[in-house]
Amino acid sequence: MLRVAVVGSGPSGVYAAQDLVQQSRVPDVRVHVLDRLPCPYGLVRYGVAPDHEKIKSLQNNLRNVLEHDRIDFIGNVEVGTRGLGPERLLDLYHAVVYCVGAARDRRLGIAGEDLPGSHSATEFVSWYSAHPDAAGNGFALDARSAVVIGVGNVAVDVARILARGADELRPTDVPQAALGALALSQVRDVHMVGRRGPSQAKFTTKELRELGGLPSAGVVVEAEDLVLDPAYAAHPELASALPAVNRRNLEVVRGWATQSPPGRQRRIHLRFFLRPVELLEDGGKVAGVRFERTVPDGDGGVRGTGVYEEIEAQLVLRAVGYRGVPLPGLPFDERHGTVPHAGGRVLREGVPSPGEYVAGWIKRGPTGVIGTNRPCAKETVLSLLDDAGSLELRPVVADPLAALRESGHRPVRWPGWLAIEAAESALGETFGRGSVKIPDWEGLLTAAGERAGERAG
Ligand code: NAP
């Protein structure tokens, strides 16, 4: 029997587990999918916005995989704690596939970044997704004007949630406290700001278009931001040479620029060619963002012009991408924020390390949509299966779960997770809503039947 641990139960981890059990080259593979949280699904549960029900429903596909009879979900086990480092994992399993994602935010590195009122988009996402590590990080949405820095899909998510009314989010699984704060929100203007042009923005067209269809918010685009884009004005023929997604994005933005500003309760201002240089302070809190106007440098980037513009904001969300976090005992490429690998095989000093693999964002960096993880996981699993003959020869402990318990871990297994789901349905009923997420460790572990005080770490 080939025993494999997959570390992380987000899409890349679940797809890796699926590929391992749905192949015939190595028939008897058993997979333990470990997660530091008592809940599975990674960013599908704790990153996909609550109003994206269709993407959220991917959880049903992931569930089917985790219920496979040769796969075990083992939550509440944090690799790196209680002696469970990469070396120990290789005592317990023939192979380990790290699918731990990219958990940290990139920093802007500008003055005022940490002023009260300035947050990473991840903090905001974790709050409205009820991530238990964010319990206690309340957002009182008393700001009138918010700036979202970045024009990727995370920026679009947080701008959209700020622009939606609480009534629009009540049918979702957004936690009750976040719904209450959104109901009292004073936010009227959301400025989403890119340092380059609309033809270079990172968002995808479906997500962008959705901003134009919100019931209580309208999109405002400044024509003066667009004319700087060479594909928009000076050389419209350049547009036809753009990748399809950028061309479609440009068309959507162009459409908004030509319409008169919609008279709705809230406005989303889509801005371009503005590079953040400083967060401004008033009374010890963030009061705005100072930007430098940029122009294309002819090489896909931009250069500053020495002309500055300030946008008032009592709330700033920095949505400038994620970064991988080093796992003690595993090699790490600081420059890219990933684990060095060849075809998914972890490289230690340039040489493949027997039995150690990576997939997902920790392998390729924080890019792509959920489906991108399928081919990524497949490549890694093919490498692992090629190595299986020699991996199986290494002796491993007979009962890894017992070994985890002996070292003080309190695994939450599949029935524990199902109990959390049932408790979330019951919680929703008390509010007259559908299922509502439990937002804290104690609540989750109590629902799972584990005593909260004994959590690992
Ligand atoms: P992203 O797509 O890499 O976008 C990051 C944005 O931040 C870009 O606009 C980037 O501009 C900007 N930025 C970076 N450094 C900056 C700086 N110092 N100053 C100003 N702006 C800066 O990252 P993301 O939005 O976090 O998304 C991560 C991944 O998750 C993406 O693959 C995304 O598609 C995916 N995702 C998908 C969905 C969905 O499908 N609905 C939802 C959420 C996330 P430059 O381009 O100029 O660097």
Side-chain angles (χ1 to χ4, degrees), residues 334-364:
E334 275 295 339
R335 200 163 143 245
H336 298 103
T338 53
V339 170
H341 73 97
R345 292 182 178 93
V346 171
L347 295 177
R348 290 187 182 268
E349 286 164 20
V351 180
S353 168
E356 294 186 303
Y357 303 85
V358 277
W361 278 2
I362 196 64
K363 171 185 173 189
R364 62 173 203 276

Side-chain angles (χ1 to χ4, degrees), residues 106 151-154 157 195-196 202 207 319-321 361 367-368:
R106 286 211 329 236
V151 283
N153 277 333
V154 170
D157 276 348
R195 60 182 171 180
R196 299 193 290 157
K202 296 268 180 65
E207 280 61 32
V320 295
W361 278 2
T367 58

Side-chain angles (χ1 to χ4, degrees), residues 2 4 6 8 10-33 61-62 64-66 68 70-71 97 99 343-344 357-360 363-364 370-386 388:
L2 183 75
V4 182
V6 169
S12 61
V14 176
Y15 293 149
Q18 182 174 26
D19 287 337
L20 280 164
V21 296
Q22 288 184 351
Q23 48 78 40
S24 51
R25 277 168 66 190
V26 184
D28 198 7
V29 180
R30 303 286 157 119
V31 183
H32 280 180
V33 179
N61 304 18
L62 304 184
N64 289 339
V65 176
L66 292 177
H68 189 283
R70 281 188 284 128
I71 297 179
V97 188
C99 304
Y357 303 85
V358 277
K363 171 185 173 189
R364 62 173 203 276
I370 292 170
T372 316
N373 291 299
R374 270 203 179 279
C376 178
K378 181 157 251 114
E379 180 195 53
T380 296
V381 168
L382 286 176
S383 296
L384 192 159
L385 295 172
D386 284 344

Side-chain angles (χ1 to χ4, degrees), residues 282-402:
D282 187 20
K285 291 199 279 200
V286 74
V289 185
R290 186 168 154 84
F291 292 94
E292 182 179 13
R293 174 58 86 185
T294 60
V295 289
D297 65 2
D299 211 14
V302 284
R303 58 181 168 75
T305 58
V307 176
Y308 295 89
E309 176 175 336
E310 289 174 8
I311 301 182
E312 178 207 329
Q314 300 78 37
L315 173 68
V316 174
L317 298 177
R318 309 177 309 263
V320 295
Y322 297 102
R323 242 187 95 70
V325 179
L327 186 66
L330 260 201
F332 191 69
D333 175 345
E334 275 295 339
R335 200 163 143 245
H336 298 103
T338 53
V339 170
H341 73 97
R345 292 182 178 93
V346 171
L347 295 177
R348 290 187 182 268
E349 286 164 20
V351 180
S353 168
E356 294 186 303
Y357 303 85
V358 277
W361 278 2
I362 196 64
K363 171 185 173 189
R364 62 173 203 276
T367 58
V369 293
I370 292 170
T372 316
N373 291 299
R374 270 203 179 279
C376 178
K378 181 157 251 114
E379 180 195 53
T380 296
V381 168
L382 286 176
S383 296
L384 192 159
L385 295 172
D386 284 344
D387 303 343
S390 58
L391 296 177
E392 271 171 323
L393 300 177
R394 198 168 45 77
V396 291
V397 303
D399 185 349
L401 201 56

Side-chain angles (χ1 to χ4, degrees), residues 402-417:
L404 287 174
R405 288 206 175 97
E406 272 162 30
S407 52
H409 289 279
R410 308 277 308 197
V412 168
R413 304 191 62 198
W414 196 249
W417 158 243

